Amino acid sequence: MREAELRERLAATGYVADETLSMALHLALTLGRPLLLEGPAGVGKTEIAKALAEVLNARLIRLQCYEGLDAGHAIYEWNYQRQLLAIRAEGAGEEALFSEKYLLKRPLLEAISQPERPVLLIDEIDRADEEFEAYLLEILSDFQITIPELGTISAQTRPVVILTANGTRELSDALRRRCLYSYVDYPDRDTELAILARRAPDIEARLAQQIIGVVQALRREDLGKLPGIAEMLDWAAALSGLGINDLSASPAQVQATLVCLLKTAADRDALPPEVMARIVGKVG
Amino acid sequence: MAVTRFPLRAEGLADRMAGFIAHLRMNGMRLGPGETVAALAALSEVKATDPDQARRALKALLVPDAEGWRRFDDLFDSYWFNTGKQRQGQANAHVRVQSAKPALWQTHLGEDGAEQDGDVGQPDGSDDEAEGTEGRLIATRTEALSRRDLRELMDEDSLRAAEKAARDLARALRDRRSRRRRQATRGLDLDLRRVMRASLARGGEPLDLPRRRRPDRPLRIVALCDVSGSMTTVSRVFLAFLRGLISVDMRADAYLFHTRLMRVTDALRDHDSLRAAGRLSLMAEGFGGGTDIGGALKTFNEGYSTRAVNGRTVVIILSDGYCTGAPEVVADGLRRLQKRAHRVIWLNPLNGWQDHAPVAQAMAAARPYLDALLPANSLAALAALEPEFARL
């Protein structure tokens, strides 16, 4: 699949990717390297993996990282309770106890033991501890996992690995070197219009212009949490649900629906009706 | 940006690619020979004759982080199109500060700047020249900026940078784990001893699996910032620094002092920076007046410190050490503080100056009771504190 074709097929699933991103995805597929996506929250990093899984018609396996994530939750764990029951009920021997039957596969092992190439999404890798990152490196380079009692399990197919990070912690150079990299920023005006048109086709062109104009203007304000794409889509849905087709004509509703865009009290205080009126006025 | 001349004669694409990787390496990206191979492999997957496609492919492959992402396009152009040298970084809020010193590389451009305009987009004319000029280093704006004295930095970006440096410091301190293990509901290891004990109640079956983990024992930060007259020039940056220090850890504490001492933790935690500034200025009546470090320390020791300072507390004092009170009082206050706290660190904005010796009497009296006296005269110095802190 060439790069342009990949972009089109992503668009068909509802994901509008810019050229740098589709190139990164294309290379991730052809070179078989993991792809690290960084960028602010709410620009659709996680969505990329979902869209890619849909394009490839592959299974999406997701590992959500958090502080304190350990091997038992990410790779595998023995099902101790079942093992105990088996000992009691059947007097099972050691061989039988340490078999696949009693193995709980967690996302990483799951991804490696798929017969068909899956998409493995490792979400918010920067939230996991550094020890886990080191472990992940081993898996990403060899695609094999050693279970002492069972032996080494090698990947039957190489999963497509997508990692996302928000920058809560600096990632190690080693991990960065193993990965392709793409920085996903807030989309520009045209891209965001295309996204809105794709996701909410029944919104009129003029209203869509206004919505994107306001959202883009808000991202230039000094806010604590900038509205992402999901917020923009929520807002568009709210506006069209209220039957609004001109923002400047209904300032009260605009102010009321701002809850979709602004998620902290300080940000709401920073945008009183007068300021919103000015922003909407500029957009036209 | 370090500039490499595009070599006129090269042994095919591989050679040129090696040159490009070397060019990136010279500009601070960490790339190995493996990347050269991977870059060639990547180009074979795309239409390499299309510069735009090649650029995007190499960008995804070679860039390691957000900083590199911003710089890559320029580096790419400078090598493959030989246009690197005229780039002037964009002007922004720093204009006032920058105008004091023109961009450092201007001098390097003198002789061949004009010629460059002519052959943009073409490989260079002569090969001999290329060898002579390869690898010149040209300082970047940010480096020049970060070494400037804090007194000249009052704009938004540098305040933000100070805040970030402080956050990194606070993180370096925070991430402490005990070496012992404690019983816990979740954790890495099984607590075998308790597994055994609990199994008795279940007829010898270890059904309950108590775990254990190393509990967090974070160091807590308490910062005392001098806002007296002699510090007004740097106090805005230090306030931003303070804000960064306490924003990472909910248990951190911040105080301002001049002739009196006041707790500003809650004001600094205010998410609305404008309101925070208002509250601070109300609190800091007499902001910019005289200093009484000894008195402030005394108040702190007698009041707040009983609650705020314990054996896992790092006390950071930001002050230039000029004070009106008796130096003995300062020494006495610090002695008491040091007994109570884990570490006492003094960050002095005068300290980083060349030939500066701590002549202020209070400073001399304080020295024996400090665990560290560190410079804090520039953003770079603030950022460089992190390894020092990590050692504490």
Side-chain angles (χ1 to χ4, degrees):
Chain A
M1 196 186 330
R2 303 305 297 178
E3 179 216 347
E5 190 192 340
L6 178 65
R7 193 171 340 131
E8 275 162 31
R9 288 175 58 176
L10 280 174
T13 69
Y15 193 92
V16 183
D18 68 8
E19 290 188 324
T20 46
L21 180 59
S22 62
M23 175 59 85
L25 287 169
H26 172 65
L27 287 178
L29 291 176
T30 49
L31 299 180
R33 286 236 214 162
L35 171 62
L36 171 64
L37 299 171
E38 272 192 314
V43 292
K45 298 188 291 294
T46 307
E47 288 299 313
I48 292 172
K50 293 183 186 163
L52 190 67
E54 202 178 323
V55 166
L56 299 176
N57 201 11
R59 198 179 145 199
L60 177 70
I61 297 172
R62 177 172 175 166
L63 173 65
Q64 174 69 47
C65 295
Y66 52 87
E67 219 174 311
L69 176 70
D70 58 41
H73 285 108
I75 303 163
Y76 72 90
E77 181 87 286
W78 290 104
N79 192 340
Y80 300 115
Q81 284 84 348
R82 261 189 96 175
Q83 284 178 329
L84 284 171
L85 275 176
I87 297 171
R88 209 8 104 76
E90 305 154 20
E94 191 190 352
E95 288 287 307
L97 282 180
F98 291 113
S99 61
E100 297 239 359
K101 192 176 163 193
Y102 299 103
L103 192 65
L104 292 176
K105 288 182 179 173
R106 306 292 194 204
L108 288 180
L109 183 58
E110 184 87 49
I112 279 187
S113 47
Q114 293 294 314
E116 304 243 324
R117 177 169 75 164
V119 174
L120 172 63
L121 168 65
I122 300 172
D123 215 0
E124 304 190 339
I125 172 72
D126 47 349
R127 293 203 183 193
D129 306 318
E130 271 153 48
E131 300 96 77
F132 178 72
E133 197 181 307
Y135 201 104
L136 192 62
L137 273 179
E138 190 191 327
I139 293 173
L140 290 184
S141 55
D142 302 342
F143 288 104
Q144 61 180 29
I145 288 172
T146 303
I147 300 173
E149 298 88 348
L150 273 186
T152 303
I153 298 180
S154 299
Q156 298 167 21
T157 52
R158 271 199 161 208
V160 181
V161 185
I162 309 266
L163 301 104
T164 75
N166 278 335
T168 51
R169 173 171 69 77
E170 196 54 45
L171 298 174
S172 72
D173 279 350
L175 182 71
R176 288 183 184 280
R177 279 199 51 195
R178 293 260 187 332
C179 297
L180 299 173
Y181 179 88
S182 195
Y183 188 86
V184 189
D185 212 340
Y186 291 113
D188 59 26
R189 207 188 156 78
D190 294 338
T191 313
E192 200 164 14
L193 266 174
I195 294 171
L196 181 58
R198 185 76 61 175
R199 290 297 183 90
D202 47 342
I203 288 187
E204 283 172 39
R206 185 172 137 73
L207 180 64
Q209 288 273 3
Q210 284 183 327
I211 289 173
I212 302 304
V214 169
V215 171
Q216 298 254 340
L218 286 181
R219 290 201 190 116
R220 286 191 293 272
E221 298 283 322
D222 186 19
L223 296 177
K225 192 192 168 312
L226 298 179
I229 294 171
E231 277 87 7
M232 181 275 290
L233 291 172
D234 281 352
W235 194 46
L239 290 173
S240 77
L242 287 173
I244 295 170
N245 39 30
D246 185 5
L247 290 187
S248 48
S250 37
Q253 278 102 322
V254 169
Q255 201 66 24
T257 50
L258 276 187
V259 286
C260 303
L261 290 178
L262 305 174
K263 303 288 176 71
T264 70
D267 287 354
R268 294 227 54 191
D269 292 345
L271 291 170
E274 304 83 60
V275 179
M276 273 315 289
R278 181 171 53 77
I279 291 175
V280 172
K282 262 190 207 156
V283 171
Chain B
M1 168 163 51
V3 174
T4 312
R5 286 294 178 90
F6 193 76
L8 189 65
R9 282 187 290 280
E11 306 282 321
L13 183 60
D15 206 16
R16 295 219 190 273
M17 188 54 73
F20 181 53
I21 301 286
H23 168 66
L24 293 180
R25 208 178 289 143
M26 208 161 61
N27 278 286
M29 292 196 186
R30 286 197 210 155
L31 300 168
E35 268 73 27
T36 319
V37 180
L40 290 170
L43 283 188
S44 68
E45 298 292 341
V46 301
K47 228 174 110 208
T49 45
D50 175 354
D52 193 40
Q53 284 212 13
R55 175 202 303 268
R56 283 184 276 124
L58 292 177
K59 194 171 180 179
L61 186 74
L62 299 174
V63 166
D65 52 20
E67 176 59 26
W69 189 257
R70 271 191 292 279
R71 290 174 61 208
F72 184 84
D73 283 344
D74 292 337
L75 294 171
F76 185 89
D77 288 344
S78 88
Y79 181 79
W80 298 102
F81 299 114
N82 221 352
T83 60
K85 289 184 204 175
Q86 296 87 15
R87 228 193 111 70
Q88 290 281 333
Q90 69 236 49
N92 52 22
H94 298 307
V95 175
R96 192 179 59 80
V97 175
Q98 278 299 311
S99 58
K101 210 183 235 174
L104 281 177
W105 66 65
Q106 294 285 358
T107 48
H108 297 271
L109 292 179
E111 77 269 33
D112 52 11
E115 165 216 313
Q116 284 299 312
D117 285 334
D119 14 84
V120 166
Q122 297 155 20
D124 233 335
S126 81
D127 229 9
D128 321 333
E129 202 186 328
E131 277 163 23
T133 50
E134 262 172 8
R136 284 193 312 193
L137 278 170
I138 296 170
T140 65
R141 290 169 73 91
T142 46
E143 274 171 9
L145 187 65
S146 63
R147 273 195 228 102
R148 301 194 78 85
D149 209 76
L150 279 186
R151 292 170 305 161
E152 298 168 47
L153 293 170
M154 285 295 180
D155 56 285
E156 285 290 309
D157 286 346
S158 41
L159 291 184
R160 223 166 275 149
E163 209 175 313
K164 185 179 176 301
R167 275 205 301 274
D168 291 345
L169 281 187
R171 285 218 182 88
L173 279 184
R174 197 184 58 149
D175 191 24
R176 269 318 133 89
R177 272 183 236 170
S178 167
R179 290 186 199 285
R180 284 183 221 156
R181 290 168 201 278
R182 276 276 180 91
Q183 193 177 1
T185 45
R186 300 169 53 219
L188 280 181
D189 335 280
L190 289 175
D191 188 343
L192 277 180
R193 195 191 157 110
R194 283 198 181 78
V195 171
M196 291 292 186
R197 182 66 186 75
S199 72
L200 288 183
R202 310 261 187 193
E205 304 291 3
L207 284 183
D208 303 312
L209 303 176
R211 289 170 177 266
R212 51 184 202 164
R213 72 189 311 173
R214 289 160 59 178
D216 278 333
R217 296 241 192 282
L219 289 175
R220 193 185 125 104
I221 296 176
V222 168
L224 302 169
C225 181
D226 186 347
V227 287
S228 61
S230 51
M231 295 279 289
T232 34
T233 44
V234 293
S235 61
R236 275 194 63 191
V237 179
F238 274 13
L239 279 181
F241 188 73
L242 223 53
R243 199 176 139 93
L245 277 182
I246 66 166
S247 67
V248 170
D249 186 355
M250 284 312 283
R251 282 161 305 186
D253 231 350
Y255 302 83
L256 297 186
F257 66 91
H258 36 89
T259 50
R260 289 183 298 118
L261 177 89
M262 69 224 98
R263 184 163 180 270
V264 292
T265 315
D266 301 322
L268 281 175
R269 281 230 171 87
D270 204 325
H271 286 295
D272 185 341
S273 46
L274 252 177
R275 203 164 58 199
R279 285 173 72 174
L280 275 183
S281 55
L282 268 183
M283 287 174 155
E285 267 175 64
F287 194 98
T291 334
D292 182 8
I293 302 178
L297 284 176
K298 195 159 181 289
T299 326
F300 184 70
N301 279 331
E302 283 165 4
Y304 296 115
S305 83
T306 43
R307 205 171 46 82
V309 181
N310 63 20
R312 286 207 189 94
T313 309
V314 176
V315 178
I316 301 174
I317 301 172
L318 300 138
S319 170
D320 55 7
Y322 286 116
C323 97
T324 50
E328 298 82 56
V329 188
V330 177
D332 184 53
L334 281 173
R335 206 191 57 227
R336 288 178 58 189
L337 194 55
Q338 199 204 17
K339 269 191 194 152
R340 193 184 275 278
H342 177 61
R343 293 278 187 275
V344 179
I345 300 167
W346 192 304
L347 299 182
N348 192 330
L350 301 180
N351 219 20
W353 288 4
Q354 268 183 353
D355 310 326
H356 169 77
V359 287
Q361 278 188 324
M363 211 60 247
R367 192 67 191 90
Y369 304 108
L370 299 177
D371 294 291
L373 173 62
L374 299 167
N377 64 318
S378 64
L379 284 181
L382 287 180
L385 294 174
E386 192 183 328
E388 299 275 345
F389 272 56
R391 269 206 296 279
L392 289 176

PDB file of all heavy atoms in Angstrom, chain A residues 11 23-24 34 37 67 94 108 116 136 177 180 188 193 195 224 227 231 257 268 284:
ATOM      1  N   ALA A  11      -8.768   8.187   5.611  1.00  0.00           N
ATOM      2  CA  ALA A  11      -9.839   9.179   5.502  1.00  0.00           C
ATOM      3  C   ALA A  11     -11.190   8.496   5.384  1.00  0.00           C
ATOM      4  O   ALA A  11     -12.192   8.957   5.923  1.00  0.00           O
ATOM      5  CB  ALA A  11      -9.580  10.087   4.312  1.00  0.00           C
ATOM      6  N   MET A  23       2.958   9.454   6.167  1.00  0.00           N
ATOM      7  CA  MET A  23       4.274   8.918   5.796  1.00  0.00           C
ATOM      8  C   MET A  23       4.848   8.101   6.948  1.00  0.00           C
ATOM      9  O   MET A  23       5.385   7.007   6.742  1.00  0.00           O
ATOM     10  CB  MET A  23       5.210  10.072   5.448  1.00  0.00           C
ATOM     11  CG  MET A  23       6.634   9.664   5.167  1.00  0.00           C
ATOM     12  SD  MET A  23       6.777   8.512   3.809  1.00  0.00           S
ATOM     13  CE  MET A  23       6.804   9.628   2.408  1.00  0.00           C
ATOM     14  N   ALA A  24       4.721   8.630   8.156  1.00  0.00           N
ATOM     15  CA  ALA A  24       5.244   7.903   9.316  1.00  0.00           C
ATOM     16  C   ALA A  24       4.547   6.550   9.461  1.00  0.00           C
ATOM     17  O   ALA A  24       5.186   5.528   9.719  1.00  0.00           O
ATOM     18  CB  ALA A  24       5.065   8.737  10.584  1.00  0.00           C
ATOM     19  N   PRO A  34       8.275   0.294  15.404  1.00  0.00           N
ATOM     20  CA  PRO A  34       7.237   0.952  16.201  1.00  0.00           C
ATOM     21  C   PRO A  34       7.186   2.444  15.882  1.00  0.00           C
ATOM     22  O   PRO A  34       8.183   3.020  15.454  1.00  0.00           O
ATOM     23  CB  PRO A  34       7.688   0.741  17.650  1.00  0.00           C
ATOM     24  CG  PRO A  34       8.946  -0.015  17.609  1.00  0.00           C
ATOM     25  CD  PRO A  34       9.369  -0.213  16.210  1.00  0.00           C
ATOM     26  N   LEU A  37       4.195   8.496  18.843  1.00  0.00           N
ATOM     27  CA  LEU A  37       3.456   9.722  18.546  1.00  0.00           C
ATOM     28  C   LEU A  37       3.450  10.611  19.775  1.00  0.00           C
ATOM     29  O   LEU A  37       3.076  10.176  20.862  1.00  0.00           O
ATOM     30  CB  LEU A  37       2.015   9.390  18.171  1.00  0.00           C
ATOM     31  CG  LEU A  37       1.818   8.521  16.942  1.00  0.00           C
ATOM     32  CD1 LEU A  37       0.376   8.096  16.837  1.00  0.00           C
ATOM     33  CD2 LEU A  37       2.243   9.261  15.695  1.00  0.00           C
ATOM     34  N   GLU A  67       1.100   4.712  36.196  1.00  0.00           N
ATOM     35  CA  GLU A  67       2.191   4.625  37.138  1.00  0.00           C
ATOM     36  C   GLU A  67       2.058   3.328  37.915  1.00  0.00           C
ATOM     37  O   GLU A  67       0.990   3.009  38.436  1.00  0.00           O
ATOM     38  CB  GLU A  67       2.137   5.818  38.082  1.00  0.00           C
ATOM     39  CG  GLU A  67       3.492   6.363  38.420  1.00  0.00           C
ATOM     40  CD  GLU A  67       3.387   7.627  39.244  1.00  0.00           C
ATOM     41  OE1 GLU A  67       2.621   8.517  38.850  1.00  0.00           O
ATOM     42  OE2 GLU A  67       4.059   7.695  40.266  1.00  0.00           O
ATOM     43  N   GLU A  94       3.464 -30.628  38.059  1.00  0.00           N
ATOM     44  CA  GLU A  94       4.111 -29.366  37.704  1.00  0.00           C
ATOM     45  C   GLU A  94       3.966 -29.054  36.223  1.00  0.00           C
ATOM     46  O   GLU A  94       3.655 -27.943  35.825  1.00  0.00           O
ATOM     47  CB  GLU A  94       5.584 -29.467  38.089  1.00  0.00           C
ATOM     48  CG  GLU A  94       6.319 -28.167  38.024  1.00  0.00           C
ATOM     49  CD  GLU A  94       7.813 -28.370  38.186  1.00  0.00           C
ATOM     50  OE1 GLU A  94       8.224 -29.508  38.507  1.00  0.00           O
ATOM     51  OE2 GLU A  94       8.549 -27.422  37.967  1.00  0.00           O
ATOM     52  N   LEU A 108       0.663  -7.398  26.011  1.00  0.00           N
ATOM     53  CA  LEU A 108       1.894  -7.574  25.230  1.00  0.00           C
ATOM     54  C   LEU A 108       2.044  -9.007  24.747  1.00  0.00           C
ATOM     55  O   LEU A 108       2.386  -9.260  23.588  1.00  0.00           O
ATOM     56  CB  LEU A 108       3.108  -7.166  26.059  1.00  0.00           C
ATOM     57  CG  LEU A 108       3.261  -5.668  26.291  1.00  0.00           C
ATOM     58  CD1 LEU A 108       4.498  -5.393  27.113  1.00  0.00           C
ATOM     59  CD2 LEU A 108       3.348  -4.926  24.970  1.00  0.00           C
ATOM     60  N   GLU A 116      -2.619 -13.518  13.243  1.00  0.00           N
ATOM     61  CA  GLU A 116      -2.689 -12.464  12.230  1.00  0.00           C
ATOM     62  C   GLU A 116      -2.097 -11.195  12.818  1.00  0.00           C
ATOM     63  O   GLU A 116      -2.258 -10.931  14.004  1.00  0.00           O
ATOM     64  CB  GLU A 116      -4.150 -12.188  11.856  1.00  0.00           C
ATOM     65  CG  GLU A 116      -4.888 -13.408  11.388  1.00  0.00           C
ATOM     66  CD  GLU A 116      -5.334 -13.249   9.955  1.00  0.00           C
ATOM     67  OE1 GLU A 116      -5.688 -12.114   9.602  1.00  0.00           O
ATOM     68  OE2 GLU A 116      -5.319 -14.243   9.226  1.00  0.00           O
ATOM     69  N   LEU A 136      10.007  -2.943  27.976  1.00  0.00           N
ATOM     70  CA  LEU A 136       9.321  -2.794  26.696  1.00  0.00           C
ATOM     71  C   LEU A 136      10.321  -2.773  25.539  1.00  0.00           C
ATOM     72  O   LEU A 136      10.067  -3.332  24.472  1.00  0.00           O
ATOM     73  CB  LEU A 136       8.524  -1.484  26.718  1.00  0.00           C
ATOM     74  CG  LEU A 136       7.528  -1.283  25.603  1.00  0.00           C
ATOM     75  CD1 LEU A 136       6.480  -2.357  25.657  1.00  0.00           C
ATOM     76  CD2 LEU A 136       6.882   0.076  25.740  1.00  0.00           C
ATOM     77  N   ARG A 177      15.171   5.883  19.964  1.00  0.00           N
ATOM     78  CA  ARG A 177      15.942   5.430  18.814  1.00  0.00           C
ATOM     79  C   ARG A 177      15.300   4.255  18.119  1.00  0.00           C
ATOM     80  O   ARG A 177      15.414   4.095  16.908  1.00  0.00           O
ATOM     81  CB  ARG A 177      17.359   5.055  19.257  1.00  0.00           C
ATOM     82  CG  ARG A 177      18.269   6.237  19.394  1.00  0.00           C
ATOM     83  CD  ARG A 177      19.697   5.799  19.366  1.00  0.00           C
ATOM     84  NE  ARG A 177      19.966   4.950  18.215  1.00  0.00           N
ATOM     85  CZ  ARG A 177      21.052   4.207  18.108  1.00  0.00           C
ATOM     86  NH1 ARG A 177      21.934   4.190  19.058  1.00  0.00           N
ATOM     87  NH2 ARG A 177      21.241   3.476  17.038  1.00  0.00           N
ATOM     88  N   LEU A 180      10.077   5.032  15.117  1.00  0.00           N
ATOM     89  CA  LEU A 180       9.845   6.161  14.223  1.00  0.00           C
ATOM     90  C   LEU A 180       9.129   7.210  15.059  1.00  0.00           C
ATOM     91  O   LEU A 180       8.530   6.899  16.074  1.00  0.00           O
ATOM     92  CB  LEU A 180       8.966   5.747  13.058  1.00  0.00           C
ATOM     93  CG  LEU A 180       9.506   4.647  12.162  1.00  0.00           C
ATOM     94  CD1 LEU A 180       8.433   4.248  11.172  1.00  0.00           C
ATOM     95  CD2 LEU A 180      10.724   5.133  11.424  1.00  0.00           C
ATOM     96  N   ASP A 188      -4.349  22.248  11.407  1.00  0.00           N
ATOM     97  CA  ASP A 188      -4.584  23.602  10.909  1.00  0.00           C
ATOM     98  C   ASP A 188      -6.042  23.709  10.471  1.00  0.00           C
ATOM     99  O   ASP A 188      -6.816  22.754  10.508  1.00  0.00           O
ATOM    100  CB  ASP A 188      -3.606  23.946   9.776  1.00  0.00           C
ATOM    101  CG  ASP A 188      -3.723  22.979   8.621  1.00  0.00           C
ATOM    102  OD1 ASP A 188      -4.816  22.386   8.461  1.00  0.00           O
ATOM    103  OD2 ASP A 188      -2.744  22.801   7.879  1.00  0.00           O
ATOM    104  N   LEU A 193     -11.334  21.545   9.371  1.00  0.00           N
ATOM    105  CA  LEU A 193     -12.610  21.627   8.638  1.00  0.00           C
ATOM    106  C   LEU A 193     -12.928  20.278   8.001  1.00  0.00           C
ATOM    107  O   LEU A 193     -14.071  19.803   8.047  1.00  0.00           O
ATOM    108  CB  LEU A 193     -12.518  22.696   7.549  1.00  0.00           C
ATOM    109  CG  LEU A 193     -13.028  24.084   7.938  1.00  0.00           C
ATOM    110  CD1 LEU A 193     -12.737  25.068   6.819  1.00  0.00           C
ATOM    111  CD2 LEU A 193     -14.515  24.039   8.234  1.00  0.00           C
ATOM    112  N   ILE A 195     -11.928  17.394   9.003  1.00  0.00           N
ATOM    113  CA  ILE A 195     -12.301  16.438  10.053  1.00  0.00           C
ATOM    114  C   ILE A 195     -13.761  16.623  10.432  1.00  0.00           C
ATOM    115  O   ILE A 195     -14.527  15.661  10.534  1.00  0.00           O
ATOM    116  CB  ILE A 195     -11.416  16.635  11.307  1.00  0.00           C
ATOM    117  CG1 ILE A 195      -9.969  16.279  10.990  1.00  0.00           C
ATOM    118  CG2 ILE A 195     -11.925  15.784  12.456  1.00  0.00           C
ATOM    119  CD1 ILE A 195      -8.988  16.644  12.067  1.00  0.00           C
ATOM    120  N   GLY A 224      -5.733  27.063  30.356  1.00  0.00           N
ATOM    121  CA  GLY A 224      -5.078  25.970  31.076  1.00  0.00           C
ATOM    122  C   GLY A 224      -5.125  24.693  30.280  1.00  0.00           C
ATOM    123  O   GLY A 224      -4.155  23.951  30.189  1.00  0.00           O
ATOM    124  N   PRO A 227      -8.759  23.297  23.950  1.00  0.00           N
ATOM    125  CA  PRO A 227      -9.729  22.341  23.419  1.00  0.00           C
ATOM    126  C   PRO A 227      -9.114  21.485  22.309  1.00  0.00           C
ATOM    127  O   PRO A 227      -8.468  21.999  21.408  1.00  0.00           O
ATOM    128  CB  PRO A 227     -10.854  23.237  22.883  1.00  0.00           C
ATOM    129  CG  PRO A 227     -10.241  24.568  22.683  1.00  0.00           C
ATOM    130  CD  PRO A 227      -9.133  24.689  23.676  1.00  0.00           C
ATOM    131  N   GLU A 231     -13.157  17.689  21.708  1.00  0.00           N
ATOM    132  CA  GLU A 231     -13.968  18.768  22.276  1.00  0.00           C
ATOM    133  C   GLU A 231     -14.676  19.548  21.168  1.00  0.00           C
ATOM    134  O   GLU A 231     -15.839  19.904  21.297  1.00  0.00           O
ATOM    135  CB  GLU A 231     -13.092  19.728  23.091  1.00  0.00           C
ATOM    136  CG  GLU A 231     -12.815  19.283  24.508  1.00  0.00           C
ATOM    137  CD  GLU A 231     -11.612  18.384  24.597  1.00  0.00           C
ATOM    138  OE1 GLU A 231     -10.920  18.234  23.564  1.00  0.00           O
ATOM    139  OE2 GLU A 231     -11.353  17.809  25.672  1.00  0.00           O
ATOM    140  N   THR A 257     -22.973  26.438  25.812  1.00  0.00           N
ATOM    141  CA  THR A 257     -22.378  25.202  25.282  1.00  0.00           C
ATOM    142  C   THR A 257     -20.859  25.173  25.413  1.00  0.00           C
ATOM    143  O   THR A 257     -20.239  24.187  25.036  1.00  0.00           O
ATOM    144  CB  THR A 257     -22.734  25.032  23.795  1.00  0.00           C
ATOM    145  OG1 THR A 257     -22.439  26.246  23.124  1.00  0.00           O
ATOM    146  CG2 THR A 257     -24.176  24.663  23.607  1.00  0.00           C
ATOM    147  N   ARG A 268     -13.053  28.880  32.114  1.00  0.00           N
ATOM    148  CA  ARG A 268     -14.374  29.475  31.895  1.00  0.00           C
ATOM    149  C   ARG A 268     -14.366  30.923  32.341  1.00  0.00           C
ATOM    150  O   ARG A 268     -14.934  31.784  31.680  1.00  0.00           O
ATOM    151  CB  ARG A 268     -15.434  28.680  32.664  1.00  0.00           C
ATOM    152  CG  ARG A 268     -15.617  27.290  32.146  1.00  0.00           C
ATOM    153  CD  ARG A 268     -17.061  26.955  31.969  1.00  0.00           C
ATOM    154  NE  ARG A 268     -17.761  27.919  31.138  1.00  0.00           N
ATOM    155  CZ  ARG A 268     -19.064  27.958  31.002  1.00  0.00           C
ATOM    156  NH1 ARG A 268     -19.820  27.113  31.641  1.00  0.00           N
ATOM    157  NH2 ARG A 268     -19.631  28.840  30.224  1.00  0.00           N
ATOM    158  N   GLY A 284     -16.677  35.953  12.251  1.00  0.00           N
ATOM    159  CA  GLY A 284     -17.640  36.380  11.233  1.00  0.00           C
ATOM    160  C   GLY A 284     -18.886  35.566  11.257  1.00  0.00           C
ATOM    161  O   GLY A 284     -19.084  34.601  10.603  1.00  0.00           O
TER     162      GLY A 284
END
